[in-house]
Amino acid sequence: MGHDENDGIQELDNPLPGWWLVTFYGTIIFAFFYWIHYTFTNAPDLQGELKLAMDELERVRKNSGGDAGGGGSGGALPAESEEQLAALFAPGDRADQGKVVFAAKCASCHGPEGAGLVGPNLTDKFWIHGKGTRKDILAVISGGVKDKGMPAWSEMLSKEELYSSAAFVFSIKGKNLPGKPPEGNEVP
Amino acid sequence: MTENNDLWESYDDDIVRKFIFACLLFGAIAFLAGLLAALQMAYWPFNSNLPWITFGRLRPLHTNAAIFAFAGNAIFAGIYHSTQRLLKTRMFSDVLSNIHFWGWQLIILSAAVTLPLGYSHGKEYAELEWPIDIAITVVWVVFAVNFFGTIAIRKQRHLYVALWFYIATIITVAVLHIFNSIELPVSFMKSYPVYAGIQDALVQWWYGHNAVAFFLTTPFLGLMYYYLPKAANRPIYSYRLSIVHFWALIFLYIWAGPHHLLYSSLPEWAQTLGMVFSVMLWAPSWGGMINGLLTLRGSWDLLRTDPIIKFLVAGITFYGMATFEGPLLSIKSVNALAHFTDWIIGHVHGGALGWNGLLTFAIIYYLVPKLWRTELYSKKLATTHFWFAIFGILIYYVSMTSAGITQGLMWRAVDQQGRLVYPDFVETVLRIVPLYWFRVLGGTLFIVGFAIMLYNLFMTLKRAPRPVPELIGDIPKSAELGTGHRKLEGLATVFSVLAFFAILVGSVIEILPTLNLDKYLNPTLTVKPYTPLELAGRDIYVREGCYYCHSQQIRPMVSEVLRYGPPSTVEESMYDHPFQWGSKRTGPDIARVGKKYPDLWHYRHMMDPRSVTPKSIMPNYPWLAEDNTDFLILRKKLSVMRVLGVPYSDEELANADILAEKQAQEIAQKLAADGAPGGLEKKEIVALISYLQALGQKGSPKNETLGSVPQL
């Protein structure tokens, strides 16, 4: 029995519950070993763990073959030739699929019709990067132009989406919609 | 003289009544501000294009009102009421009591005015600017003098456990507030903290976490130890347990701050300490819960009949839940998923609404009839309030936890080709917007319950007679001093000094090493300070509270590297007074957003985020294109920064405003050429854009761990 002089509040003096003590000691022991492990042994630190995980990612990307968009190609030219691309872009619904991708991912910068907003007008005859060939378009979409604010889409789109958006851009080329004033060089 | 004697024969309950009124008034404001913030998350137009109620300014108003106004006034009411009775004396000084009361309410009012106007430190739960910081210190010292003065004139030799918790609260809050608020003023309502980067982060979360510990936990445990046995008329379960869990709790709590900074660029030893001390806190926290719940052993029938016991038991249970979840969330791998998500928001509200809210309601339902010598108008309404509150909290908690886990999993999802499954951040936001509506529902229920309480209290007071002072009555004859801890309870000064040392140990061991920042810097990585214009932009970022929605700290995890770029480094924030790492990602991390988009993109995005990111929930900031940047103050700002150790040259200092105007001119011209309206060079939007474009561009860290994986 404890005391009862505290404004009439009484205090019993029951022993500490066993399970509570076990929990308390358990967490202290865990804390001690965890601390030793991460502070004094050569367990990998956060950077080390990241490195392991990044290596693993690298391996996954290699194994999954070319299927990953530009997956890691970082804007290198597509492997296909212009003719092969022409064949790949040809199916009728390609550009239509691309239009959906474009509306979702590109319209915020290039305008709903591709006539330019933050990014350049894609329907005129002027090109900043290359000459507006299928290969050029695909390259700039995959690799982006980091410093000018054109994202590298190879990381964010599947190969399928990448190619269809390029097919769509190619299909609106030369429509000459009124929009952002021309940038880059005129390509006949 | 006789009148004075009369006064000393009674307790001062006027002050308690005042604090109760203030608690109810500011509770209403805090809850409504919270509801509006919840609505803004669910449906952005609730930001109303009005600067002073956009989310970034409303959130600090909500948190400050909830913590310091609602919970604060509740604590004071309970402390003033119970301390006098436990010490069998009137408060030390009625004058100090009143200075404390009115001073505190003035501080709250000044917060209610300055926060919506955008005056802010940019540090969570410590937003108030330096003049108010000083006022808080003064009022807190007044409170301390009054409290310890009362202890000095006590008629009761031994201090009851409730008082131990009050002592720890008063000492620790003073230490936390003073050390976290050391800042250098630039002007009347603007200052920069002396700490930068990892230092500032560490001090801030040492403060932030222990504001939870010593403002929302220890005082409420003290209140529980008084009001629970009183309301239930039962003895406290275990005196021994109260000793062990009290000392363990205050000693361990102070170390746990860095669990808010796991996976950040804070040195890893500090992160590890933060985690292990949080884990060790589990049992001491539950010690309080057990002592509360087991006190009711043998009188569980009260739970059915007495609404006050309902509130107490539910409150203590929520305390148990929150203090189990806290250590869980501190475990690194769990934290990796939960941090920056709404799970944390759910956790906080389980504690704030469940523990602080319900306990406060219990105390008020107990006190009001006592202080006004009447009966509660309706027990039935109190029970209705209880159920509204419980369902409100549960809906809130469940919806936010699911939102957090859902979004956390979406952020980290990487597909078999090694790419992010949801590269579009906004997709992960839209997925959880329905849950934001559930939160609105939960909050509404809680508020309806509160309104029922107000009505119930109003009706109670309407019928109450004029209150008469309660006499102190017989003073028990002095007990033996005793031995061991019992003896310590009779020696108030020694007790307080020991409590002070208990909280000092962890503080010193964790903070002292980081005060010498150089130790953690890699001398080969140099970082350039912000240009004057960027600094102006940064202050706008702080003013608008962007950091309540955006983090600036990329964690060393694959999914973060893929989404945001290389992990943030110590060097990158070394000149950041204050640090802006953030604690919540309602929007994406922007530590490396610089150069990601053209200036025009930012212009359009800030004017209306939906014009570039359909369905975004970010507010519009149209006033940034109308208001002018204050160029003239930049010299002063740079000179203060230089005093704080940011290496600005004499020339930059002397020409700060000219340099800024020049840079603004360039940006504005480019914007105009690209199709934005002309004449923006003096506008705040240009300064903000310059800051956003500088993020991650001030000296890119070499990072070998990233191998050849391309960055976006």
Side-chain angles (χ1 to χ4, degrees), chain B residues 684-705:
Chain B
E684 290 186 332
I685 183 74
V686 168
L688 181 63
I689 291 176
S690 77
Y691 170 63
L692 292 174
Q693 296 291 30
L695 286 172
Q697 300 292 318
K698 287 293 171 182
S700 261
K702 309 253 177 320
N703 203 322
E704 316 87 51
T705 55

Side-chain angles (χ1 to χ4, degrees), chain B residues 127-347:
Chain B
E127 288 90 350
L128 302 173
E129 263 300 347
W130 68 272
I132 309 179
D133 275 343
I134 294 177
I136 294 174
T137 313
V138 171
V139 172
W140 198 263
V141 168
V142 166
F143 173 38
V145 169
N146 202 13
F147 178 84
F148 285 107
T150 311
I151 287 189
I153 59 167
R154 69 187 185 278
K155 303 284 173 359
Q156 157 78 48
R157 188 168 208 173
H158 291 103
L159 303 181
Y160 175 60
V161 46
L163 295 160
W164 315 344
F165 280 101
Y166 302 162
I167 290 174
T169 300
I170 294 174
I171 293 176
T172 316
V173 169
V175 173
L176 293 169
H177 171 69
I178 291 173
F179 283 94
N180 188 43
S181 308
I182 302 180
E183 56 225 1
L184 225 53
V186 174
S187 63
F188 173 53
M189 282 303 280
K190 175 81 201 160
S191 65
Y192 294 125
V194 294
Y195 317 103
I198 60 165
Q199 266 169 5
D200 196 34
L202 187 63
V203 173
Q204 160 62 25
W205 283 114
W206 165 78
Y207 163 88
H209 178 72
N210 290 298
V212 174
F214 290 89
F215 209 88
L216 299 176
T217 305
T218 54
F220 280 89
L221 282 170
L223 297 176
M224 175 194 88
Y225 271 110
Y226 183 80
Y227 291 100
L228 178 70
K230 277 281 175 193
N233 202 10
R234 299 276 311 164
I236 285 293
Y237 173 70
S238 171
Y239 167 65
R240 242 179 280 183
L241 182 57
S242 65
I243 298 176
V244 177
H245 99 94
F246 169 77
W247 288 105
L249 199 73
I250 67 167
F251 174 76
L252 296 172
Y253 238 126
I254 206 86
W255 297 73
H259 70 210
H260 292 258
L261 299 166
L262 298 180
Y263 293 98
S264 71
S265 50
L266 185 74
E268 255 186 271
W269 62 265
Q271 299 186 31
T272 304
L273 284 182
M275 171 183 148
V276 296
F277 275 87
S278 308
V279 171
M280 286 189 282
L281 265 172
W282 173 22
S285 304
W286 272 26
M289 172 184 72
I290 295 170
N291 229 357
L293 293 181
L294 292 186
T295 291
L296 290 171
R297 260 191 340 174
S299 52
W300 287 110
D301 52 310
L302 286 176
L303 193 54
R304 254 178 294 121
T305 52
D306 187 348
I308 295 179
I309 301 293
K310 280 195 176 66
F311 277 106
L312 285 169
V313 167
I316 295 168
T317 309
F318 273 112
Y319 174 64
M321 276 170 56
T323 53
F324 172 71
E325 192 179 35
L328 180 73
L329 287 169
S330 307
I331 293 176
K332 279 190 191 162
S333 47
V334 180
N335 189 274
L337 174 68
H339 192 49
F340 292 132
T341 74
D342 283 300
W343 186 353
I344 307 299
I345 314 297
H347 169 63

Side-chain angles (χ1 to χ4, degrees), chain A residues 96-170:
Chain A
D96 287 344
Q97 285 167 8
K99 190 172 178 161
V100 178
V101 178
F102 193 89
K105 311 278 176 178
C106 323
S108 63
C109 287
H110 291 285
E113 308 283 334
L117 214 55
V118 172
N121 190 336
L122 300 175
T123 67
D124 58 17
K125 288 206 213 96
F126 293 79
W127 291 90
I128 310 171
H129 300 277
K131 298 196 161 65
T133 63
R134 298 177 182 85
K135 221 174 155 74
D136 291 337
I137 292 175
L138 198 50
V140 71
I141 299 176
S142 317
V145 191
K146 177 101 186 25
D147 283 352
K148 295 287 172 55
M150 162 72 181
W153 292 96
S154 61
E155 286 298 315
M156 290 179 270
L157 300 178
S158 68
K159 183 171 179 180
E160 198 60 23
E161 291 168 320
L162 210 56
Y163 279 54
S164 17
S165 61
F168 173 72
V169 172
F170 190 77

Side-chain angles (χ1 to χ4, degrees), chain A residues 5-7 10 12-14 20 45-46 53 58 60-61 105 108 117-118 146 148-149 155 157-158, chain B residues 88 156 226 230 236-240 268 283 416 418-419 424 486 595-596 598 604 612 708 710 712:
Chain A
E5 70 215 73
N6 309 301
D7 195 29
Q10 302 197 342
L12 304 178
D13 201 12
N14 283 303
W20 181 81
D45 59 4
L46 293 178
E58 196 81 337
V60 166
R61 288 191 166 186
K105 311 278 176 178
S108 63
L117 214 55
V118 172
K146 177 101 186 25
K148 295 287 172 55
E155 286 298 315
L157 300 178
S158 68
Chain B
K88 289 285 169 228
Q156 157 78 48
Y226 183 80
K230 277 281 175 193
I236 285 293
Y237 173 70
S238 171
Y239 167 65
R240 242 179 280 183
E268 255 186 271
Q416 282 161 349
R419 290 176 315 134
D424 254 354
R486 187 71 185 149
K595 301 254 182 87
K596 179 176 172 190
R604 291 170 47 94
V612 290
S708 59
L712 304 182

Side-chain angles (χ1 to χ4, degrees), chain B residues 35 388 439-449:
Chain B
L35 184 63
F388 268 98
R439 163 167 64 185
V440 169
L441 174 67
T444 308
L445 291 179
F446 188 85
I447 292 178
V448 170

